[in-house]
Amino acid sequence: MQSAPYWIAFGDIHDDVSPIADIPGLSEAAGVIITGDITVVGGVRQAERVLTAIAARNPAIHAQIGNMDKAEVTDWLDGRGWNIHRAARELAPGVGLLGAGHSTPTPFGTPSEVPEARLAEWLDALRAEAGRWPRLVLAVHTPPKDSLCDRLGNGAHVGSPAVRAFIEAVQPDVCLCGHIHESRAVDRIGRTVVVNPGALGAGGYAVMTAPEDGPLTAELKVLRG
């Protein structure tokens, strides 16, 4: 019996490709979804180094920039056919992927921050694409507001109201996010499973599976050193 297709998802790589070799099933996955922060304030040269290492194990890459990546990386991803920021694509028959990278403002003045209103505009534009597939995954860098996935160490919720509003309205099967390293968690907003694996360097990643029948599923995994 053929097993269901699955995708490996992670973000907040920050130039550290050392965990890649330890992710079980990476080469056999239907693809790799990268939610953002490929580099540490890096451009194309740094992103190419990271993604070349990933592509050596699985060339089916779906990636977007986070706030720590320079905007030039988006054009480079476009040229490789890997970009998912502000894009909709079919991962498999009946399975769609919507992407929105960057982040809302942080205290650190990182390269690719945008106002909440702009992120809301991007997500609103993607709503028209959501009905193309019966099963849907949203990949965002910024997690939804007031969830288990957007809490700082002091307990403050710093996620995006626009991301939460999109999830509440559209109800994708899965939302993959990142950005807040210390908020590695799984949560649920309505029928949507929300997963923030935290930083890849700390061992966090997700496995999203498309069973033959029923919604997409997503599990949080942690590499053990």
Side-chain angles (χ1 to χ4, degrees):
M1 181 176 178
Q2 187 175 10
S3 59
Y6 67 91
W7 293 261
I8 302 292
F10 49 81
D12 300 285
I13 304 166
H14 298 302
D15 292 327
D16 181 8
V17 297
S18 59
I20 299 299
D22 297 324
I23 298 176
L26 181 62
S27 297
E28 295 77 27
V32 182
I33 301 171
I34 298 169
T35 58
D37 278 4
I38 301 164
T39 73
V40 180
V41 196
V44 170
R45 181 175 61 85
Q46 293 88 346
E48 183 172 19
R49 172 185 169 271
V50 171
L51 294 177
T52 297
I54 296 170
R57 295 183 176 273
N58 191 316
I61 291 176
H62 314 278
Q64 64 192 4
I65 68 170
N67 59 294
M68 293 288 284
D69 307 306
K70 293 180 180 178
E72 67 187 49
V73 176
T74 292
D75 289 338
W76 181 79
L77 290 171
D78 270 332
R80 300 297 298 266
W82 290 344
N83 182 51
I84 60 171
H85 172 55
R86 301 179 64 187
R89 64 171 57 178
E90 187 170 77
L91 290 178
V95 179
L97 170 64
L98 307 179
H102 296 243
S103 85
T104 49
T106 76
F108 310 110
T110 53
S112 294
E113 300 177 12
V114 296
E116 178 72 24
R118 182 168 299 173
L119 179 56
E121 289 174 3
W122 291 344
L123 291 167
D124 284 344
L126 289 172
R127 285 197 195 196
E129 306 287 346
R132 293 169 54 189
W133 299 281
R135 295 188 286 181
L136 193 67
V137 55
L138 173 68
V140 285
H141 187 58
T142 304
K145 186 83 162 68
D146 295 329
S147 65
L148 298 178
C149 299
D150 80 322
R151 294 186 299 185
L152 298 177
N154 63 8
H157 291 275
V158 294
S160 165
V163 171
R164 186 177 186 99
F166 180 95
I167 292 171
E168 288 176 343
V170 176
Q171 291 284 275
D173 298 78
V174 172
C175 172
L176 302 168
C177 59
H179 189 44
I180 310 302
H181 296 187
E182 60 267 46
S183 204
R184 177 197 289 160
V186 178
D187 203 353
R188 185 177 287 273
I189 299 174
R191 67 183 291 271
T192 302
V193 177
V194 183
V195 185
N196 178 356
L200 181 63
Y205 68 101
V207 178
M208 185 183 75
T209 304
E212 185 174 346
D213 298 308
L216 304 172
T217 64
E219 295 180 272
L220 175 61
K221 302 286 188 177
V222 181
L223 296 173
R224 302 299 181 187

